[in-house]
Amino acid sequence: MKKLYKSRTDKKLCGVCGGIAEYFEIDSTIIRLLWVLLAFFVGSGILAYIIAALIMPEAPEN
């Protein structure tokens, strides 16, 4: 079963976007761009990132 974790390797701030990209197996740049658009146009992107950073667990060490 696949689980959503913050990325340990693909991170700029907390690894949230990198973890989401790993989960959906897409480029993390796409997730980051979508998150920035969400923050600018909807206004809830920053709050959503903070909540995700607090709730998402770190990826287990290999």
Side-chain angles (χ1 to χ4, degrees), residues 25-40:
E25 298 176 357
I26 59 175
D27 187 25
S28 61
T29 304
I30 295 170
I31 299 296
R32 289 185 180 101
L33 288 173
L34 289 173
W35 213 289
V36 168
L37 291 174
L38 182 70
F40 280 125

Side-chain angles (χ1 to χ4, degrees), residues 4-7 13-17 20 35 45-59:
L4 180 62
Y5 294 108
K6 289 188 277 188
S7 176
L13 293 176
C14 296
V16 172
C17 292
I20 292 171
W35 213 289
I46 296 170
L47 180 61
Y49 190 91
I50 292 169
I51 291 170
L54 294 172
I55 293 175
M56 288 173 62
E58 284 283 330

Side-chain angles (χ1 to χ4, degrees), residues 1-5 18-26 57 60:
M1 182 174 176
K2 213 161 140 180
K3 292 193 176 188
L4 180 62
Y5 294 108
I20 292 171
E22 289 172 6
Y23 183 81
F24 289 111
E25 298 176 357
I26 59 175

